[in-house]
Amino acid sequence: MSDKDLRRYSRIVVDGVEQAPSRAMLRAVGFTEEDFERPQIGIASTWSMVTPCNMHINGLADEAARASSEAGGKGVVFNTISVSDGISMGTPGMRYSLVSREIIADSIEAVAGAEGFDGVIAIGGCDKNMPGCVMAMARLNRPSVFVYGGTIRPGAKRRDIVSVFEAVGACSAGSISDAELLEVEQTAIPGPGACGGMYTANTMASAIEALGMSLANSSAQEAISDQKLDDCRRAGQAVMNLIREDIKPLDIMTREAFENAISVVIALAGSTNAVLHLLAIAREAGVELTLDDFTRIGERVPVLADVKPSGKYLMSELIEIGGIQPLMKRLLDNGLLHGDCLTVTGKTLADNLAEVADYPAGQDIIRDFDDPIKPDSHLAILYGNVAPEGAVAKITGKEGLLFEGRARVFHSEEEALQAILDDTVVAGDVLVIRYEGPKGAPGMREMLSPTGAIMGKGLGADVALITDGRFSGGSHGFVVGHVAPEAAVGGPIALIQDGDILKIDAQNKEINMQVDDAELERRRSAWKRPASPVKAGVLAKYRNEVSSASEGAVTIPPAWDE
């Protein structure tokens, strides 16, 4: 294949007399005469100083650009946004978190499409920019590689961001002093990288690697490490190989590849957000994926990783014993992965795993198949008169499989958090936090502040929480999110009243309120949608276009009549 054939998109921008103005502009940003004959590689960097997850990514982007140029391309770095879940958590700012996923996908698509990039490397380091990057790759369908920015190193005493949220509850309960809380706050976040447990960032990095869109072990490297720099160099070489072989994201992101991603998320006890994001990525890839696929796959895949938040270990400790590659090899050998799926290496998943060594003897981070944390999935998709379209529970079994209690209803996260901290919430309560869904919030806020406070108060085994919002990957306990239809569209969660008996049955995959149909109909006829907290701007646009959580909370363009 000639060099011109490799420049499928950039040649339209830079070839010919009529494109002299384009070349003039590019000369000013460093293009040489030879660069116009090279495939252009867009390096989508999510660098910013708004969060430690992304503060180092400028250096990674430069490394990827250099490597792609050395491999015969021309790397061009551009930026997209990031917002920090950890900083905005528990505030109105959290409404922008999930919305940012769509903005990131839109912005990468817009830049790559406008500039005529022949290939894309996207480097993400936080919960929403990672799926946003891969959604854009699916839309563009140009040779692409995703690079994970890497996990943070543990703080003092193996602390991380969830340690701080739970310390807030402990301080409120009188278990620790204000000075002890300050010491946790000052030592939990030692530097760059994504939150250190199997929270959403590490979960999605692992899912994307299993999907085939990043290189081996990209998901299991510390942010500040020689391995992560090498990952960027290899990505620069890999994207040029994909261009030469004409391998595109939709060749990789098949239904079987999504099933691989789901299996790995389950084995790792990953975040409930993976359900939302994998549904969204699949929609962009044109792959039919539903909530019920998580149930079907979850019936045969066990939870094997003893990792935070529900377990003991941090991502850095999993990295020390080999990362997720040996786990994937075990899953493959047990018939739980599709080995013939193509990956960004240009080889199949089975080829990539052929020479992977098993974990060292004596480690207890990844369990054997005959001694799982849980014999089936921790991601329970629940249905019932509370959630006719489904809800997502994160039940590892440590919380038990059944919870029945009286409803205590709140119309916002802030109301619920205050009730937890001032001891209004007591054992036997099922907290119902509603109007926090994709349209209701709008933006489907995460509930780490309430769940962290519940755990810090010592109520983790005695209180359940359900919401049409969602949970941070750091949340644990008896929690159910993504309740659909959401309250803002008149879903049954809007009809629950204080004192109603709620039953969450993870074994039978059910979530119900003990209220008869006639009473529910009476409540439904009296229900009125509350005024939205936003009137204009990006949140209003999102509210008007976003789909149900059961469909991935994606924005759906209006139909165009030909």
Side-chain angles (χ1 to χ4, degrees):
M1 189 179 291
S2 70
D3 286 346
K4 186 172 183 179
D5 290 334
L6 299 181
R7 299 187 297 114
R8 295 177 181 85
Y9 302 97
S10 62
R11 69 186 183 194
I12 300 169
V13 176
V14 301
D15 284 7
V17 173
E18 66 276 14
Q19 295 308 122
S22 305
R23 294 192 295 273
M25 295 283 282
L26 291 169
R27 291 179 197 278
V29 296
F31 272 59
T32 65
E33 204 67 46
E34 294 76 19
D35 289 335
F36 295 120
E37 301 300 320
R38 296 166 171 254
Q40 291 187 31
I41 311 301
I43 315 294
S45 167
T46 59
W47 171 84
S48 73
M49 291 301 290
V50 302
T51 169
C53 310
N54 297 73
M55 61 187 287
H56 62 301
I57 285 178
N58 54 347
L60 300 182
D62 290 341
E63 200 69 32
R66 277 193 293 272
S68 60
S69 296
E70 289 169 1
K74 171 60 178 175
V76 181
V77 178
F78 67 97
N79 271 92
T80 183
I81 67 161
S82 284
V83 302
S84 172
D85 292 2
I87 295 171
S88 63
M89 195 74 69
T91 76
M94 188 65 195
R95 293 186 174 117
Y96 290 91
S97 171
L98 188 57
V99 178
S100 75
R101 184 188 71 181
E102 313 303 306
I103 297 170
I104 291 160
D106 291 349
S107 64
I108 294 174
E109 176 198 355
V111 174
E115 300 301 312
F117 294 139
D118 301 294
V120 175
I121 297 172
I123 308 174
C126 204
D127 298 5
K128 307 310 169 299
N129 58 48
M130 298 166 67
C133 286
V134 183
M135 290 164 68
M137 290 173 173
R139 290 181 196 173
L140 290 160
N141 200 30
R142 302 179 189 186
S144 302
V145 178
F146 177 78
V147 174
Y148 178 38
T151 192
I152 196 170
R153 290 174 176 165
K157 301 178 183 177
R158 299 178 65 252
R159 289 172 178 147
D160 62 8
I161 184 62
V162 176
S163 306
V164 188
F165 279 98
E166 294 185 0
V168 172
C171 185
S172 174
S175 303
I176 64 173
S177 66
D178 290 347
E180 288 172 311
L181 172 60
L182 179 61
E183 194 260 336
V184 173
E185 173 191 329
Q186 291 173 332
T187 60
I189 311 295
C195 300
M198 193 52 64
Y199 312 144
T200 303
N202 283 320
T203 296
M204 286 310 301
S206 303
I208 292 166
E209 182 175 331
L211 190 62
M213 288 302 298
S214 60
L215 296 170
N217 267 334
S218 183
S219 66
Q221 295 162 342
E222 290 185 335
I224 303 302
S225 65
D226 291 340
Q227 291 77 17
K228 183 48 64 183
L229 290 172
D230 185 59
D231 187 29
C232 295
R233 297 183 195 110
R234 292 187 299 123
Q237 297 161 1
V239 76
M240 285 303 300
N241 180 62
L242 292 171
I243 290 173
R244 293 187 181 101
E245 298 295 327
D246 194 24
I247 297 173
K248 299 183 285 293
L250 298 189
D251 299 322
I252 295 170
M253 287 193 274
T254 62
R255 180 174 173 80
E256 290 75 20
F258 279 97
E259 291 183 351
N260 287 345
I262 293 170
S263 294
V264 167
V265 167
I266 292 168
L268 288 169
S271 167
T272 53
N273 277 318
V275 178
L276 204 67
H277 297 325
L278 288 173
L279 290 172
I281 296 168
R283 177 183 178 275
E284 299 289 358
V287 171
E288 185 178 347
L289 195 72
T290 70
L291 287 175
D292 294 337
D293 289 310
F294 288 82
T295 298
R296 175 178 55 82
I297 294 167
E299 289 173 350
R300 57 191 181 89
V301 178
V303 176
L304 299 174
D306 189 10
V307 288
K308 288 192 172 187
S310 56
K312 292 189 293 186
Y313 293 101
L314 291 161
M315 190 66 176
S316 289
E317 293 164 318
L318 178 56
I319 290 169
E320 289 176 4
I321 64 166
I324 73 161
Q325 288 275 295
L327 173 63
M328 290 173 65
K329 181 68 158 47
R330 288 186 178 187
L331 292 170
L332 178 67
D333 291 345
N334 281 270
L336 298 175
L337 294 181
H338 302 283
D340 57 350
C341 288
L342 189 62
T343 73
V344 291
T345 65
K347 300 177 181 179
T348 67
L349 183 70
D351 290 336
N352 294 343
L353 296 173
E355 303 301 321
V356 171
D358 198 14
Y359 293 114
Q363 65 80 28
D364 62 347
I365 301 176
I366 302 295
R367 298 276 192 90
D368 292 328
F369 279 85
D370 60 1
D371 182 32
I373 302 288
K374 191 171 184 285
D376 55 4
S377 179
H378 65 302
L379 298 174
I381 308 302
L382 311 180
Y383 293 94
N385 67 359
V386 170
E389 292 179 4
V392 181
K394 186 178 182 180
I395 307 293
T396 64
K398 296 178 181 179
E399 312 84 353
L401 298 173
L402 180 69
F403 195 103
E404 185 171 327
R406 58 193 172 275
R408 194 177 290 273
V409 180
F410 303 95
H411 284 193
S412 73
E413 177 186 6
E414 288 87 350
E415 289 180 16
L417 178 61
Q418 187 56 49
I420 297 164
L421 295 177
D422 68 13
D423 297 324
T424 300
V425 171
V426 297
D429 284 347
V430 179
L431 278 68
V432 179
I433 305 180
R434 62 192 182 198
Y435 299 108
E436 291 286 8
K439 290 182 179 292
M444 203 177 180
R445 292 196 292 177
E446 289 182 346
M447 303 290 138
L448 181 54
S449 293
T451 61
I454 288 168
M455 299 306 292
K457 282 275 194 176
L459 292 170
D462 302 311
V463 168
L465 191 159
I466 72 170
T467 181
D468 51 7
R470 59 196 175 92
F471 294 106
S472 161
S475 292
H476 59 122
F478 216 110
V479 296
V480 182
H482 307 203
V483 171
E486 62 174 293
V489 299
I493 190 173
L495 309 180
I496 300 172
Q497 296 182 357
D498 282 336
D500 287 346
I501 300 301
L502 298 177
K503 184 176 181 180
I504 305 165
D505 185 345
Q507 189 73 43
N508 293 305
K509 309 292 192 295
E510 294 179 350
I511 179 167
N512 288 294
M513 55 178 137
Q514 295 180 12
V515 180
D516 63 42
D517 291 344
E519 173 61 14
L520 285 178
E521 191 55 42
R522 186 192 67 77
R523 294 180 188 181
R524 184 173 288 109
S525 64
W527 175 80
K528 293 182 180 179
R529 180 185 297 108
S532 176
V534 301
K535 304 300 179 186
V538 68
L539 292 177
K541 287 190 285 187
Y542 181 86
R543 178 195 62 215
N544 293 343
E545 294 183 0
V546 70
S547 71
S548 168
S550 63
E551 298 173 340
V554 293
T555 51
I556 303 173
W560 178 263
D561 294 327
E562 295 292 346

